């Protein structure tokens, strides 16, 4: 089992739709969680951190489920500009150090 | 204002050559990283340096050697390049190491093609 797994997609949704992605992680000692956005041929950029109580930033909501070991990202009222790959990242303590492990990303296409 | 910069942006070279990629950050961060993103878009950490000290050294061939002359720079030297080294290499930095909620800032990437 991979340490961090995501459905690669693509998720093709119409503008205005609500879409959700999940990301599962295998290390129960994982400490912190993130969603990054990566546009085509660009570098990843932090979208939002994921806190235990869940957090929201405009149209984006992130949640953490420690019992089932997954994080989720919900995008409401999708815009064309939301089309990108969404990478989850998990920060885990292993072998005496923290390690940032990325999922392979979920590709989102918002269609006009 | 460039936060994390890498040079070159594109690198096309022949198998067997030796090449270097340079990275600089002006954010004052303590920790820098090298990641490799392959054709399947999997982003995998290669190395991490904290204040010029090697912290993470993942299982990469010893043809890859990072060098950190100071905490603002982390260069990657690759010897005897192979076809499988073709990928995008991202440099990144964060404040205070891979701690609890330290955001990673990525450079624009270096697209390496080995022919």
């Amino acid at each position: 089992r991979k340490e961090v797994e995501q459905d690669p997609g693509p998720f093709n949704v119409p503008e205005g739709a609500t879409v959700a992605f999940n990301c599962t992680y295998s290390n129960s000692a994982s400490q912190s969680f993130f969603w990054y956005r990566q546009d085509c041929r660009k570098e990843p950029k932090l979208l939002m951190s994921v806190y235990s109580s869940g957090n929201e930033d405009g149209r984006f909501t992130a949640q953490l489920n420690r019992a089932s070991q997954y994080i989720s990202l919900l995008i409401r009222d999708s815009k064309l500009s939301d089309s990108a790959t969404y990478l989850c990242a998990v920060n885990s303590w292993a072998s005496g150090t923290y390690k940032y492990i990325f999922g392979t990303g979920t590709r989102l296409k918002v269609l006009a | 204002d460039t936060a994390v910069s890498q040079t070159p942006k594109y690198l096309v070279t022949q198998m067997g050559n030796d090449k270097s990629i340079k990275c600089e950050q002006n954010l004052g961060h303590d920790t820098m990283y090298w990641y490799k993103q392959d054709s399947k878009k999997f982003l995998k950490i290669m190395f991490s340096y904290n204040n010029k000290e090697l912290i993470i050294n993942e299982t990469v061939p010893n043809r890859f050697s990072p060098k950190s002359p100071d905490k603002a720079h982390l260069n990657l030297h690759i010897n005897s390049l192979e076809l499988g080294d073709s990928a995008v290499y991202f440099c990144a930095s964060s404040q205070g190491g891979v701690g609890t909620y330290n955001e990673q800032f990525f450079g624009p990437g270096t697209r390496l093609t080995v022919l």
Side-chain angles (χ1 to χ4, degrees):
Chain A
R1 184 184 172 185
K2 288 182 183 173
E3 292 177 277
V4 179
E5 287 196 83
Q6 293 182 253
D7 181 340
F11 283 55
N12 297 323
V13 302
E15 265 187 297
T18 295
V19 61
F21 312 132
N22 282 345
C23 166
T24 59
Y25 60 93
S26 61
N27 186 343
S28 59
S30 297
Q31 297 290 318
S32 49
F33 311 86
F34 309 85
W35 284 103
Y36 280 76
R37 171 189 169 135
Q38 185 173 24
D39 292 299
C40 188
R41 301 179 79 84
K42 297 285 190 181
E43 72 272 24
K45 291 184 179 176
L46 182 70
L47 179 65
M48 56 199 302
S49 302
V50 187
Y51 301 114
S52 296
S53 53
N55 46 301
E56 191 173 306
D57 182 3
R59 298 180 294 106
F60 299 84
T61 300
Q63 301 226 309
L64 166 62
N65 185 319
R66 281 195 185 272
S68 300
Q69 294 184 201
Y70 73 88
I71 61 172
S72 63
L73 177 68
L74 181 80
I75 306 175
R76 289 180 298 277
D77 189 22
S78 300
K79 312 288 185 195
L80 292 176
S81 57
D82 294 334
S83 298
T85 297
Y86 291 84
L87 303 165
C88 64
V90 175
N91 194 354
S92 301
W93 181 262
S95 304
T97 186
Y98 279 107
K99 282 171 52 171
Y100 225 79
I101 301 170
F102 282 88
T104 49
T106 297
R107 193 168 168 209
L108 171 66
K109 290 184 182 179
V110 181
L111 308 171
Chain B
D1 288 344
T2 304
V4 183
S5 59
Q6 293 178 231
T7 53
K9 192 165 183 183
Y10 298 96
L11 187 52
V12 180
T13 188
Q14 299 286 334
M15 265 197 319
N17 284 350
D18 303 339
K19 290 291 177 186
S20 292
I21 308 172
K22 294 186 176 182
C23 178
E24 176 181 1
Q25 54 95 4
N26 62 7
L27 298 166
H29 288 166
D30 293 332
T31 307
M32 296 184 72
Y33 314 83
W34 277 109
Y35 287 87
K36 177 181 180 180
Q37 189 169 44
D38 59 26
S39 56
K40 295 184 179 175
K41 307 299 182 189
F42 181 47
L43 189 63
K44 189 169 173 19
I45 191 164
M46 300 172 71
F47 303 103
S48 168
Y49 269 74
N50 181 272
N51 268 322
K52 301 195 299 173
E53 183 184 343
L54 181 65
I55 301 298
I56 293 173
N57 184 356
E58 287 296 293
T59 308
V60 299
N62 58 14
R63 299 181 293 104
F64 290 80
S65 53
K67 283 193 171 48
S68 182
D70 55 61
K71 75 173 195 177
H73 295 84
L74 180 62
N75 303 324
L76 183 66
H77 188 76
I78 316 171
N79 288 329
S80 303
L81 279 154
E82 299 178 357
L83 293 176
D85 297 333
S86 296
V88 181
Y89 292 84
F90 286 103
C91 176
S93 72
S94 69
Q95 180 58 36
V98 189
T100 307
Y101 275 101
N102 292 327
E103 175 184 356
Q104 300 219 347
F105 292 81
F106 285 82
T110 295
R111 188 170 296 271
L112 171 66
T113 303
V114 182
L115 303 175

